[in-house]
Amino acid sequence: MGRYVITAGPTREHLDPVRFLTNPSTGKMGFAVARAAAERGHDVALIAGPVALKTPKGVRRIDVTSARDMLAAVEDAIGDGDCVFVATAAVADWRPASCADRKLKKGLMSDTIKLVRNPDILKGVKCRHKIGFAAETNDVMSEAARKCREKGLAMIVANDVTEKGAGFGTDTNRVTFLKADGSVERLPLMSKLAVARRIVRFAEGLA
Ligand code: CTP
């Protein structure tokens, strides 16, 4: 059986203890991939940002908050790199340059927040097989192809988040698989769990 490391959900990038930057990811797609991999008997580590979902049966879950926490947990879980890494998380690309340890008083705050870039987890980690997601609003296939190449992926799962039934918070998704060999597989609207099972079947076929 294989070893799977999966990221899911959003990250939170704090400005102070009560304020943060984030996005609407609910983690459903990543939790579905974790469930599908565990159902097939694989060893699954699920690195989850702040989400309100139950841990699937047989899955080892590690909760994290920020992108940098997520990267550290992913590197730890990947270990020697002999595994499949499936990145479904909507990682915040920037974080505030500094985080105050006490609540910032609005009277003392400026109108601008200085941001710095977060690490690209999927691009940076070294492991045998990497599968990524591309949630796009335009130029879906060309953007997905670029990310597949630049991040060294075996496959990217592309979806147009402006389509009905696809994207953040839904139980369904309409995705296209774009594989490293250039082949394209368009899937119909299906449940996220059904998409997840297709992803796991694809990963099982990798050498
Ligand atoms: N990803 C990641 N770490 C980041 C950003 C993205 O691991 N800091 C992963 C996501 O989990 C996803 C893939 O990379 O599997 C693509 O994410 P996306 O946000 O679409 O891509 P970006 O590289 O941020 O590209 P852009 O902002 O140009 O759309």
PDB file of all heavy atoms in Angstrom, residues 7 67 85-94 118-123 131-136 143 146-147 151 153 156, ligand 1:
ATOM      1  N   THR A   7      -2.956  17.983   1.560  1.00  0.00           N
ATOM      2  CA  THR A   7      -3.284  19.252   2.236  1.00  0.00           C
ATOM      3  C   THR A   7      -4.727  19.625   1.907  1.00  0.00           C
ATOM      4  O   THR A   7      -5.218  19.329   0.818  1.00  0.00           O
ATOM      5  CB  THR A   7      -2.368  20.410   1.806  1.00  0.00           C
ATOM      6  OG1 THR A   7      -2.522  20.662   0.405  1.00  0.00           O
ATOM      7  CG2 THR A   7      -0.918  20.142   2.142  1.00  0.00           C
ATOM      8  N   ALA A  67       0.334  29.197   6.347  1.00  0.00           N
ATOM      9  CA  ALA A  67       1.043  28.508   5.254  1.00  0.00           C
ATOM     10  C   ALA A  67       2.385  27.962   5.734  1.00  0.00           C
ATOM     11  O   ALA A  67       2.788  26.864   5.340  1.00  0.00           O
ATOM     12  CB  ALA A  67       1.261  29.480   4.092  1.00  0.00           C
ATOM     13  N   PHE A  85       1.910  13.126  -2.949  1.00  0.00           N
ATOM     14  CA  PHE A  85       1.479  14.364  -2.293  1.00  0.00           C
ATOM     15  C   PHE A  85       0.342  14.969  -3.109  1.00  0.00           C
ATOM     16  O   PHE A  85       0.511  15.247  -4.296  1.00  0.00           O
ATOM     17  CB  PHE A  85       2.650  15.346  -2.197  1.00  0.00           C
ATOM     18  CG  PHE A  85       2.302  16.680  -1.588  1.00  0.00           C
ATOM     19  CD1 PHE A  85       1.516  16.763  -0.444  1.00  0.00           C
ATOM     20  CD2 PHE A  85       2.766  17.861  -2.147  1.00  0.00           C
ATOM     21  CE1 PHE A  85       1.188  17.997   0.126  1.00  0.00           C
ATOM     22  CE2 PHE A  85       2.450  19.099  -1.586  1.00  0.00           C
ATOM     23  CZ  PHE A  85       1.666  19.169  -0.450  1.00  0.00           C
ATOM     24  N   VAL A  86      -0.821  15.127  -2.483  1.00  0.00           N
ATOM     25  CA  VAL A  86      -1.968  15.725  -3.172  1.00  0.00           C
ATOM     26  C   VAL A  86      -2.278  17.064  -2.493  1.00  0.00           C
ATOM     27  O   VAL A  86      -2.672  17.098  -1.322  1.00  0.00           O
ATOM     28  CB  VAL A  86      -3.215  14.812  -3.121  1.00  0.00           C
ATOM     29  CG1 VAL A  86      -4.335  15.395  -3.986  1.00  0.00           C
ATOM     30  CG2 VAL A  86      -2.885  13.386  -3.575  1.00  0.00           C
ATOM     31  N   ALA A  87      -2.063  18.153  -3.230  1.00  0.00           N
ATOM     32  CA  ALA A  87      -2.235  19.495  -2.649  1.00  0.00           C
ATOM     33  C   ALA A  87      -3.577  20.068  -3.064  1.00  0.00           C
ATOM     34  O   ALA A  87      -3.750  20.515  -4.203  1.00  0.00           O
ATOM     35  CB  ALA A  87      -1.095  20.399  -3.108  1.00  0.00           C
ATOM     36  N   THR A  88      -4.549  20.006  -2.147  1.00  0.00           N
ATOM     37  CA  THR A  88      -5.851  20.608  -2.447  1.00  0.00           C
ATOM     38  C   THR A  88      -6.021  21.930  -1.696  1.00  0.00           C
ATOM     39  O   THR A  88      -6.994  22.640  -1.908  1.00  0.00           O
ATOM     40  CB  THR A  88      -7.027  19.678  -2.054  1.00  0.00           C
ATOM     41  OG1 THR A  88      -7.215  19.724  -0.643  1.00  0.00           O
ATOM     42  CG2 THR A  88      -6.801  18.243  -2.497  1.00  0.00           C
ATOM     43  N   ALA A  89      -5.111  22.239  -0.779  1.00  0.00           N
ATOM     44  CA  ALA A  89      -5.299  23.422   0.077  1.00  0.00           C
ATOM     45  C   ALA A  89      -5.284  24.709  -0.731  1.00  0.00           C
ATOM     46  O   ALA A  89      -4.568  24.833  -1.726  1.00  0.00           O
ATOM     47  CB  ALA A  89      -4.201  23.465   1.137  1.00  0.00           C
ATOM     48  N   ALA A  90      -6.096  25.665  -0.271  1.00  0.00           N
ATOM     49  CA  ALA A  90      -6.067  27.021  -0.830  1.00  0.00           C
ATOM     50  C   ALA A  90      -5.138  27.827   0.082  1.00  0.00           C
ATOM     51  O   ALA A  90      -5.565  28.446   1.061  1.00  0.00           O
ATOM     52  CB  ALA A  90      -7.465  27.601  -0.847  1.00  0.00           C
ATOM     53  N   VAL A  91      -3.855  27.723  -0.235  1.00  0.00           N
ATOM     54  CA  VAL A  91      -2.831  28.346   0.617  1.00  0.00           C
ATOM     55  C   VAL A  91      -2.816  29.848   0.331  1.00  0.00           C
ATOM     56  O   VAL A  91      -2.782  30.254  -0.831  1.00  0.00           O
ATOM     57  CB  VAL A  91      -1.446  27.740   0.293  1.00  0.00           C
ATOM     58  CG1 VAL A  91      -0.375  28.326   1.194  1.00  0.00           C
ATOM     59  CG2 VAL A  91      -1.473  26.212   0.405  1.00  0.00           C
ATOM     60  N   ALA A  92      -2.818  30.651   1.370  1.00  0.00           N
ATOM     61  CA  ALA A  92      -2.731  32.107   1.163  1.00  0.00           C
ATOM     62  C   ALA A  92      -1.361  32.429   0.571  1.00  0.00           C
ATOM     63  O   ALA A  92      -0.336  31.967   1.082  1.00  0.00           O
ATOM     64  CB  ALA A  92      -2.921  32.829   2.484  1.00  0.00           C
ATOM     65  N   ASP A  93      -1.346  33.173  -0.512  1.00  0.00           N
ATOM     66  CA  ASP A  93      -0.067  33.457  -1.172  1.00  0.00           C
ATOM     67  C   ASP A  93       0.749  34.529  -0.451  1.00  0.00           C
ATOM     68  O   ASP A  93       1.948  34.632  -0.667  1.00  0.00           O
ATOM     69  CB  ASP A  93      -0.312  33.873  -2.624  1.00  0.00           C
ATOM     70  CG  ASP A  93      -0.738  32.690  -3.473  1.00  0.00           C
ATOM     71  OD1 ASP A  93      -0.040  31.655  -3.423  1.00  0.00           O
ATOM     72  OD2 ASP A  93      -1.773  32.771  -4.162  1.00  0.00           O
ATOM     73  N   TRP A  94       0.084  35.322   0.399  1.00  0.00           N
ATOM     74  CA  TRP A  94       0.799  36.359   1.150  1.00  0.00           C
ATOM     75  C   TRP A  94       0.425  36.292   2.621  1.00  0.00           C
ATOM     76  O   TRP A  94      -0.631  35.783   2.970  1.00  0.00           O
ATOM     77  CB  TRP A  94       0.411  37.764   0.654  1.00  0.00           C
ATOM     78  CG  TRP A  94       0.847  38.085  -0.721  1.00  0.00           C
ATOM     79  CD1 TRP A  94       2.059  38.614  -1.098  1.00  0.00           C
ATOM     80  CD2 TRP A  94       0.092  37.932  -1.929  1.00  0.00           C
ATOM     81  NE1 TRP A  94       2.086  38.792  -2.459  1.00  0.00           N
ATOM     82  CE2 TRP A  94       0.901  38.381  -2.997  1.00  0.00           C
ATOM     83  CE3 TRP A  94      -1.187  37.459  -2.216  1.00  0.00           C
ATOM     84  CZ2 TRP A  94       0.473  38.375  -4.316  1.00  0.00           C
ATOM     85  CZ3 TRP A  94      -1.619  37.442  -3.527  1.00  0.00           C
ATOM     86  CH2 TRP A  94      -0.798  37.896  -4.558  1.00  0.00           C
ATOM     87  N   ASN A 118       4.273  34.051   0.788  1.00  0.00           N
ATOM     88  CA  ASN A 118       4.384  32.769   1.478  1.00  0.00           C
ATOM     89  C   ASN A 118       5.103  31.771   0.578  1.00  0.00           C
ATOM     90  O   ASN A 118       5.121  31.939  -0.647  1.00  0.00           O
ATOM     91  CB  ASN A 118       2.983  32.236   1.802  1.00  0.00           C
ATOM     92  CG  ASN A 118       2.496  32.669   3.165  1.00  0.00           C
ATOM     93  OD1 ASN A 118       3.302  32.901   4.063  1.00  0.00           O
ATOM     94  ND2 ASN A 118       1.198  32.786   3.311  1.00  0.00           N
ATOM     95  N   PRO A 119       5.658  30.713   1.166  1.00  0.00           N
ATOM     96  CA  PRO A 119       6.270  29.676   0.324  1.00  0.00           C
ATOM     97  C   PRO A 119       5.220  28.961  -0.521  1.00  0.00           C
ATOM     98  O   PRO A 119       4.066  28.833  -0.097  1.00  0.00           O
ATOM     99  CB  PRO A 119       6.874  28.704   1.345  1.00  0.00           C
ATOM    100  CG  PRO A 119       6.137  28.961   2.626  1.00  0.00           C
ATOM    101  CD  PRO A 119       5.725  30.402   2.597  1.00  0.00           C
ATOM    102  N   ASP A 120       5.610  28.520  -1.710  1.00  0.00           N
ATOM    103  CA  ASP A 120       4.747  27.661  -2.527  1.00  0.00           C
ATOM    104  C   ASP A 120       5.044  26.222  -2.099  1.00  0.00           C
ATOM    105  O   ASP A 120       6.090  25.667  -2.440  1.00  0.00           O
ATOM    106  CB  ASP A 120       5.039  27.873  -4.018  1.00  0.00           C
ATOM    107  CG  ASP A 120       4.053  27.113  -4.903  1.00  0.00           C
ATOM    108  OD1 ASP A 120       3.644  25.991  -4.522  1.00  0.00           O
ATOM    109  OD2 ASP A 120       3.703  27.632  -5.971  1.00  0.00           O
ATOM    110  N   ILE A 121       4.121  25.659  -1.342  1.00  0.00           N
ATOM    111  CA  ILE A 121       4.347  24.343  -0.730  1.00  0.00           C
ATOM    112  C   ILE A 121       4.495  23.284  -1.816  1.00  0.00           C
ATOM    113  O   ILE A 121       5.460  22.508  -1.839  1.00  0.00           O
ATOM    114  CB  ILE A 121       3.198  23.991   0.236  1.00  0.00           C
ATOM    115  CG1 ILE A 121       3.123  25.036   1.352  1.00  0.00           C
ATOM    116  CG2 ILE A 121       3.388  22.574   0.802  1.00  0.00           C
ATOM    117  CD1 ILE A 121       1.883  24.925   2.236  1.00  0.00           C
ATOM    118  N   LEU A 122       3.536  23.247  -2.733  1.00  0.00           N
ATOM    119  CA  LEU A 122       3.523  22.210  -3.770  1.00  0.00           C
ATOM    120  C   LEU A 122       4.772  22.280  -4.650  1.00  0.00           C
ATOM    121  O   LEU A 122       5.359  21.256  -4.994  1.00  0.00           O
ATOM    122  CB  LEU A 122       2.260  22.357  -4.619  1.00  0.00           C
ATOM    123  CG  LEU A 122       2.057  21.363  -5.752  1.00  0.00           C
ATOM    124  CD1 LEU A 122       2.084  19.925  -5.251  1.00  0.00           C
ATOM    125  CD2 LEU A 122       0.745  21.632  -6.484  1.00  0.00           C
ATOM    126  N   LYS A 123       5.162  23.495  -4.995  1.00  0.00           N
ATOM    127  CA  LYS A 123       6.331  23.644  -5.867  1.00  0.00           C
ATOM    128  C   LYS A 123       7.617  23.234  -5.148  1.00  0.00           C
ATOM    129  O   LYS A 123       8.489  22.585  -5.723  1.00  0.00           O
ATOM    130  CB  LYS A 123       6.437  25.100  -6.325  1.00  0.00           C
ATOM    131  CG  LYS A 123       7.503  25.334  -7.380  1.00  0.00           C
ATOM    132  CD  LYS A 123       7.420  26.746  -7.899  1.00  0.00           C
ATOM    133  CE  LYS A 123       8.460  26.970  -8.990  1.00  0.00           C
ATOM    134  NZ  LYS A 123       8.336  28.333  -9.529  1.00  0.00           N
ATOM    135  N   ILE A 131       0.447  15.766  -7.076  1.00  0.00           N
ATOM    136  CA  ILE A 131      -0.804  16.085  -7.784  1.00  0.00           C
ATOM    137  C   ILE A 131      -1.314  17.413  -7.220  1.00  0.00           C
ATOM    138  O   ILE A 131      -1.383  17.586  -5.999  1.00  0.00           O
ATOM    139  CB  ILE A 131      -1.850  14.962  -7.579  1.00  0.00           C
ATOM    140  CG1 ILE A 131      -1.335  13.653  -8.187  1.00  0.00           C
ATOM    141  CG2 ILE A 131      -3.202  15.369  -8.183  1.00  0.00           C
ATOM    142  CD1 ILE A 131      -2.214  12.439  -7.904  1.00  0.00           C
ATOM    143  N   GLY A 132      -1.630  18.338  -8.110  1.00  0.00           N
ATOM    144  CA  GLY A 132      -2.082  19.646  -7.656  1.00  0.00           C
ATOM    145  C   GLY A 132      -3.461  19.975  -8.178  1.00  0.00           C
ATOM    146  O   GLY A 132      -4.043  19.239  -8.991  1.00  0.00           O
ATOM    147  N   PHE A 133      -3.977  21.089  -7.705  1.00  0.00           N
ATOM    148  CA  PHE A 133      -5.272  21.608  -8.142  1.00  0.00           C
ATOM    149  C   PHE A 133      -5.073  22.996  -8.719  1.00  0.00           C
ATOM    150  O   PHE A 133      -4.185  23.726  -8.281  1.00  0.00           O
ATOM    151  CB  PHE A 133      -6.241  21.694  -6.959  1.00  0.00           C
ATOM    152  CG  PHE A 133      -6.962  20.397  -6.710  1.00  0.00           C
ATOM    153  CD1 PHE A 133      -6.279  19.296  -6.207  1.00  0.00           C
ATOM    154  CD2 PHE A 133      -8.308  20.269  -7.000  1.00  0.00           C
ATOM    155  CE1 PHE A 133      -6.931  18.089  -6.004  1.00  0.00           C
ATOM    156  CE2 PHE A 133      -8.973  19.079  -6.786  1.00  0.00           C
ATOM    157  CZ  PHE A 133      -8.289  17.984  -6.290  1.00  0.00           C
ATOM    158  N   ALA A 134      -5.894  23.335  -9.682  1.00  0.00           N
ATOM    159  CA  ALA A 134      -5.880  24.698 -10.217  1.00  0.00           C
ATOM    160  C   ALA A 134      -7.321  25.178 -10.254  1.00  0.00           C
ATOM    161  O   ALA A 134      -8.113  24.713 -11.070  1.00  0.00           O
ATOM    162  CB  ALA A 134      -5.262  24.728 -11.606  1.00  0.00           C
ATOM    163  N   ALA A 135      -7.669  26.049  -9.333  1.00  0.00           N
ATOM    164  CA  ALA A 135      -9.010  26.648  -9.306  1.00  0.00           C
ATOM    165  C   ALA A 135      -8.879  27.993 -10.004  1.00  0.00           C
ATOM    166  O   ALA A 135      -8.187  28.878  -9.514  1.00  0.00           O
ATOM    167  CB  ALA A 135      -9.467  26.826  -7.865  1.00  0.00           C
ATOM    168  N   GLU A 136      -9.531  28.092 -11.152  1.00  0.00           N
ATOM    169  CA  GLU A 136      -9.333  29.295 -11.968  1.00  0.00           C
ATOM    170  C   GLU A 136     -10.675  29.945 -12.297  1.00  0.00           C
ATOM    171  O   GLU A 136     -11.734  29.303 -12.241  1.00  0.00           O
ATOM    172  CB  GLU A 136      -8.640  28.927 -13.296  1.00  0.00           C
ATOM    173  CG  GLU A 136      -7.356  28.115 -13.162  1.00  0.00           C
ATOM    174  CD  GLU A 136      -6.188  28.910 -12.606  1.00  0.00           C
ATOM    175  OE1 GLU A 136      -6.264  30.151 -12.545  1.00  0.00           O
ATOM    176  OE2 GLU A 136      -5.193  28.274 -12.198  1.00  0.00           O
ATOM    177  N   GLU A 143      -3.651  27.984 -17.798  1.00  0.00           N
ATOM    178  CA  GLU A 143      -3.100  28.225 -16.452  1.00  0.00           C
ATOM    179  C   GLU A 143      -2.768  26.894 -15.761  1.00  0.00           C
ATOM    180  O   GLU A 143      -1.740  26.762 -15.097  1.00  0.00           O
ATOM    181  CB  GLU A 143      -4.115  29.015 -15.606  1.00  0.00           C
ATOM    182  CG  GLU A 143      -4.059  30.502 -15.851  1.00  0.00           C
ATOM    183  CD  GLU A 143      -2.676  31.061 -15.574  1.00  0.00           C
ATOM    184  OE1 GLU A 143      -2.324  31.209 -14.403  1.00  0.00           O
ATOM    185  OE2 GLU A 143      -1.934  31.318 -16.538  1.00  0.00           O
ATOM    186  N   ARG A 146       0.398  25.440 -17.210  1.00  0.00           N
ATOM    187  CA  ARG A 146       1.597  26.161 -16.719  1.00  0.00           C
ATOM    188  C   ARG A 146       1.952  25.674 -15.311  1.00  0.00           C
ATOM    189  O   ARG A 146       3.103  25.366 -15.018  1.00  0.00           O
ATOM    190  CB  ARG A 146       1.303  27.675 -16.704  1.00  0.00           C
ATOM    191  CG  ARG A 146       2.426  28.504 -16.112  1.00  0.00           C
ATOM    192  CD  ARG A 146       2.111  29.998 -16.122  1.00  0.00           C
ATOM    193  NE  ARG A 146       0.993  30.388 -15.263  1.00  0.00           N
ATOM    194  CZ  ARG A 146       1.082  30.574 -13.942  1.00  0.00           C
ATOM    195  NH1 ARG A 146       2.234  30.390 -13.321  1.00  0.00           N
ATOM    196  NH2 ARG A 146       0.024  30.939 -13.243  1.00  0.00           N
ATOM    197  N   LYS A 147       0.939  25.565 -14.427  1.00  0.00           N
ATOM    198  CA  LYS A 147       1.199  25.150 -13.048  1.00  0.00           C
ATOM    199  C   LYS A 147       1.708  23.712 -12.985  1.00  0.00           C
ATOM    200  O   LYS A 147       2.577  23.368 -12.185  1.00  0.00           O
ATOM    201  CB  LYS A 147      -0.063  25.316 -12.191  1.00  0.00           C
ATOM    202  CG  LYS A 147      -0.398  26.778 -11.964  1.00  0.00           C
ATOM    203  CD  LYS A 147      -1.707  26.984 -11.232  1.00  0.00           C
ATOM    204  CE  LYS A 147      -2.055  28.471 -11.256  1.00  0.00           C
ATOM    205  NZ  LYS A 147      -3.323  28.765 -10.572  1.00  0.00           N
ATOM    206  N   LYS A 151       5.370  23.274 -11.402  1.00  0.00           N
ATOM    207  CA  LYS A 151       5.425  22.649 -10.079  1.00  0.00           C
ATOM    208  C   LYS A 151       5.858  21.181 -10.166  1.00  0.00           C
ATOM    209  O   LYS A 151       5.901  20.491  -9.155  1.00  0.00           O
ATOM    210  CB  LYS A 151       4.082  22.802  -9.356  1.00  0.00           C
ATOM    211  CG  LYS A 151       3.680  24.294  -9.186  1.00  0.00           C
ATOM    212  CD  LYS A 151       2.478  24.503  -8.284  1.00  0.00           C
ATOM    213  CE  LYS A 151       1.968  25.946  -8.397  1.00  0.00           C
ATOM    214  NZ  LYS A 151       1.396  26.471  -7.145  1.00  0.00           N
ATOM    215  N   LEU A 153       4.417  18.379 -11.658  1.00  0.00           N
ATOM    216  CA  LEU A 153       3.342  17.487 -11.207  1.00  0.00           C
ATOM    217  C   LEU A 153       3.119  16.306 -12.147  1.00  0.00           C
ATOM    218  O   LEU A 153       3.340  16.406 -13.358  1.00  0.00           O
ATOM    219  CB  LEU A 153       2.026  18.282 -11.118  1.00  0.00           C
ATOM    220  CG  LEU A 153       2.082  19.594 -10.330  1.00  0.00           C
ATOM    221  CD1 LEU A 153       0.699  20.239 -10.291  1.00  0.00           C
ATOM    222  CD2 LEU A 153       2.612  19.367  -8.920  1.00  0.00           C
ATOM    223  N   ILE A 156      -2.530  17.670 -12.817  1.00  0.00           N
ATOM    224  CA  ILE A 156      -3.204  18.790 -12.168  1.00  0.00           C
ATOM    225  C   ILE A 156      -4.704  18.648 -12.415  1.00  0.00           C
ATOM    226  O   ILE A 156      -5.128  18.223 -13.499  1.00  0.00           O
ATOM    227  CB  ILE A 156      -2.638  20.154 -12.620  1.00  0.00           C
ATOM    228  CG1 ILE A 156      -3.157  21.282 -11.714  1.00  0.00           C
ATOM    229  CG2 ILE A 156      -2.919  20.443 -14.092  1.00  0.00           C
ATOM    230  CD1 ILE A 156      -2.198  22.441 -11.557  1.00  0.00           C
TER     231      ILE A 156
HETATM  232  N1  CTP B   1      -0.198  25.735  -3.601  1.00  0.00           N
HETATM  233  C1  CTP B   1       0.663  25.476  -2.549  1.00  0.00           C
HETATM  234  N2  CTP B   1       1.260  26.523  -1.888  1.00  0.00           N
HETATM  235  C2  CTP B   1       1.015  27.800  -2.247  1.00  0.00           C
HETATM  236  C3  CTP B   1       0.122  28.084  -3.330  1.00  0.00           C
HETATM  237  C4  CTP B   1      -0.466  27.018  -3.977  1.00  0.00           C
HETATM  238  O1  CTP B   1       0.877  24.313  -2.214  1.00  0.00           O
HETATM  239  N3  CTP B   1       1.603  28.792  -1.587  1.00  0.00           N
HETATM  240  C5  CTP B   1      -0.807  24.609  -4.348  1.00  0.00           C
HETATM  241  C6  CTP B   1      -2.311  24.476  -4.194  1.00  0.00           C
HETATM  242  O2  CTP B   1      -2.637  23.603  -3.124  1.00  0.00           O
HETATM  243  C7  CTP B   1      -2.728  23.900  -5.547  1.00  0.00           C
HETATM  244  C8  CTP B   1      -1.708  24.477  -6.511  1.00  0.00           C
HETATM  245  O3  CTP B   1      -0.574  24.846  -5.712  1.00  0.00           O
HETATM  246  O4  CTP B   1      -2.605  22.508  -5.595  1.00  0.00           O
HETATM  247  C9  CTP B   1      -2.143  25.642  -7.326  1.00  0.00           C
HETATM  248  O5  CTP B   1      -2.591  26.657  -6.494  1.00  0.00           O
HETATM  249  P1  CTP B   1      -3.041  28.065  -7.068  1.00  0.00           P
HETATM  250  O6  CTP B   1      -3.390  28.960  -5.932  1.00  0.00           O
HETATM  251  O7  CTP B   1      -4.056  27.847  -8.151  1.00  0.00           O
HETATM  252  O8  CTP B   1      -1.724  28.527  -7.760  1.00  0.00           O
HETATM  253  P2  CTP B   1      -0.663  29.612  -7.538  1.00  0.00           P
HETATM  254  O9  CTP B   1       0.651  28.931  -7.676  1.00  0.00           O
HETATM  255  O10 CTP B   1      -0.907  30.409  -6.285  1.00  0.00           O
HETATM  256  O11 CTP B   1      -0.857  30.499  -8.842  1.00  0.00           O
HETATM  257  P3  CTP B   1      -1.585  31.859  -9.267  1.00  0.00           P
HETATM  258  O12 CTP B   1      -1.626  32.767  -8.079  1.00  0.00           O
HETATM  259  O13 CTP B   1      -0.677  32.322 -10.364  1.00  0.00           O
HETATM  260  O14 CTP B   1      -2.946  31.450  -9.787  1.00  0.00           O
END
